[in-house]
Amino acid sequence: MSTFVSAREVMVSGATGYVAGWLIKRLLEDGHHVHAAVRDPTNEQKLAHLNALQSDLPGTITYFASDLLTEGSYAEAMAGCEIVFHTASPFSLTVKDAQRELVEPAKLGTRNVLEQAKRTLSVKRVVVTSSYVAVFGDNADFLAGDKEFFNEDDWNTTSSLTHQPYSFSKTEAEKEAWKIARTQDQWQLVTVNPAFIMGPGISPYATSESFNFMKQLANGTFKSGIPNFGVGLVDVREVAEAHLCAGFTPKAEGRYIISAANSSFPEIAQILRDRFGNALPFPKGTAPKWLIWLIGPMIDKTLSRKVLARNIGYPVKIDNSKSIRELGITYRPVQETLTEMFQQLIDEGVVVPS
Ligand code: NAP
């Protein structure tokens, strides 16, 4: 499958993350030497799951200290690599200062990594982990145009520092990536734009927002009803495969939406309740929009009235066909993704049924 047959050395930023864990596993299976860029290479606890992989698989890992906000910080990690996978980005829905906590690290970090790629002559391809939230902002956006489904031609035009700031940070970072890519012809940029990622982690103690959402479903946060938010869902293992294909497939180009299904929060809750029964306080139904509109902002600051008004009750309509056609991605059913993730949380004692 490799284009860059000699691409033994590859760099992965944000190597401690949920997505990066599966990507690194696949790279190690294929015998690569992974330059793993992490904030703190001395934090053995955060690296334990990667070290465990390394002992069983043919590839190898070397850790490098890198921070998105420190200029030049990826020079050592990138040296000698042909492919750079840039997955690092703060993923948080609850921030006090969106500019400082989200936009700056996402955008400056992208600039830092991609400018370094321009200075590193071995680099031939850069794969940036963007998001489907760089394609649209609110679910109500799907009603605005004349297309039924959004695809890779679409961009988020409705998020801002004060409205859906995480989505804004991903949009700004991806735009920055394409801007830098156009200033050179040494490497090609490919972006992977995943929907909401679910599925078991290489480490069950992952701190990604994906895990926080699952834990909320189990801890009674939505006991009295879950908001009817439409959401695209995808398994983390398909996201890792998409990164691999984006890196190694000769013809891969542009953006790739990676999404298995257009789903919703109530559907996720239903799948879990069907499989795990009543041992946990899963939401029993959908909360009425008026109730969420009234109390949502008091419970959770990210649920502003504007976010609620423009998202509850609107389905997500995102087209994944380019990823199937050009990268050959096969998506597993979301039932499998969700139940395997939840089972892992139970097996590891992260959630405890009564
Ligand atoms: P994650 O587990 O929280 O991983 C984020 C990674 O970014 C961590 O390795 C973290 O390092 C690193 N990072 C954050 N700030 C950094 C900084 N200042 N300098 C260096 N590294 C920094 O989240 P994830 O879910 O795997 O997300 C990975 C990528 O996928 C992100 O770009 C995210 O936006 C994107 N994405 C995620 C989803 C989803 O549903 N999870 C959906 C679409 C796109 P530390 O371990 O040191 O904190």
Side-chain angles (χ1 to χ4, degrees):
M1 155 181 169
S2 299
T3 341
F4 310 115
V5 183
S6 60
R8 203 178 99 74
E9 317 268 322
V10 300
M11 189 198 101
V12 178
S13 75
T16 51
Y18 172 45
V19 169
W22 282 101
L23 171 61
I24 290 173
K25 178 171 190 285
R26 287 291 291 106
L27 290 165
L28 294 176
E29 281 167 358
D30 288 354
H32 293 281
H33 179 204
V34 178
H35 295 212
V38 296
R39 274 198 269 203
D40 180 6
T42 65
N43 186 336
E44 286 180 18
Q45 202 188 344
K46 272 200 145 181
L47 304 179
H49 62 292
L50 297 177
N51 289 329
L53 288 176
Q54 189 177 209
S55 59
D56 292 339
L57 295 170
T60 47
I61 305 177
T62 303
Y63 298 103
F64 295 87
S66 309
D67 193 294
L68 291 173
L69 295 172
T70 310
E71 216 198 314
S73 174
Y74 289 86
E76 222 191 317
M78 210 178 285
C81 292
E82 277 181 63
I83 305 182
V84 169
F85 295 97
H86 176 40
T87 80
S89 196
F91 180 24
S92 175
L93 301 177
T94 48
V95 290
K96 287 200 176 91
D97 181 343
Q99 177 64 25
R100 196 177 55 78
E101 294 172 64
L102 289 175
V103 179
E104 269 169 36
K107 199 170 163 179
L108 285 180
T110 298
R111 193 178 304 152
N112 208 352
V113 171
L114 270 61
E115 289 293 349
Q116 186 60 51
K118 282 168 67 174
R119 294 190 289 269
T120 308
L121 298 182
S122 56
V123 176
K124 295 191 176 141
R125 185 164 285 188
V126 177
V127 178
V128 168
T129 316
S130 184
S131 170
Y132 83 150
V133 299
V135 171
F136 72 99
D138 294 309
N139 293 359
D141 294 354
F142 292 105
L143 300 177
D146 51 4
K147 315 161 56 164
E148 195 183 349
F149 288 86
F150 275 23
N151 63 22
E152 286 82 356
D153 296 335
D154 295 298
W155 280 91
N156 176 349
T157 56
T158 55
S159 297
S160 68
L161 267 183
T162 53
H163 177 68
Q164 306 271 43
Y166 168 70
S167 305
F168 182 63
S169 76
K170 294 303 287 181
T171 310
E172 289 289 293
E174 194 193 324
K175 281 185 184 161
E176 187 70 12
W178 286 112
K179 196 167 112 191
I180 296 168
R182 284 192 289 271
T183 64
Q184 55 79 54
D185 55 13
Q186 176 199 320
W187 42 262
Q188 297 163 299
L189 174 67
V190 180
T191 68
V192 172
N193 295 64
F196 195 25
I197 304 171
M198 291 278 141
I202 293 288
S203 161
Y205 309 108
T207 52
S208 169
E209 283 290 336
S210 301
F211 278 72
N212 294 337
F213 174 70
M214 263 323 205
K215 287 180 219 162
Q216 279 187 327
L217 283 178
N219 71 11
T221 304
F222 301 113
K223 198 170 54 187
S224 49
I226 192 157
N228 185 15
F229 269 105
V231 69
L233 286 184
V234 65
D235 193 287
V236 64
R237 292 161 286 194
E238 268 80 84
V239 176
E241 202 59 37
H243 279 76
L244 217 66
C245 295
F248 292 95
T249 305
K251 287 189 181 153
E253 55 80 36
R255 312 169 86 196
Y256 287 96
I257 290 169
I258 307 297
S259 179
N262 295 312
S263 181
S264 67
F265 284 6
E267 190 185 23
I268 297 172
Q270 180 72 46
I271 289 168
L272 294 176
R273 209 172 46 245
D274 288 350
R275 169 66 181 78
F276 297 97
N278 295 321
L280 287 154
F282 293 121
K284 288 215 169 61
T286 304
K289 188 167 180 173
W290 65 264
L291 181 63
I292 297 287
W293 196 84
L294 209 62
I295 63 168
M298 287 182 261
I299 300 171
D300 182 343
K301 261 181 39 194
T302 62
L303 297 176
S304 73
R305 298 238 151 91
K306 186 173 172 191
V307 168
L308 296 171
R310 290 186 45 79
N311 288 280
I312 291 187
Y314 295 106
V316 160
K317 293 187 169 185
I318 201 95
D319 176 0
N320 65 4
S321 59
K322 186 181 177 216
S323 68
I324 297 169
R325 208 172 48 243
E326 294 186 13
L327 300 184
I329 302 296
T330 308
Y331 292 104
R332 76 194 72 206
V334 293
Q335 286 83 350
E336 192 178 315
T337 299
L338 293 168
T339 53
E340 284 184 14
M341 181 178 193
F342 208 80
Q343 189 62 54
Q344 180 187 42
L345 295 178
I346 293 174
D347 293 346
E348 300 294 332
V350 179
V351 299
V352 184
S354 58

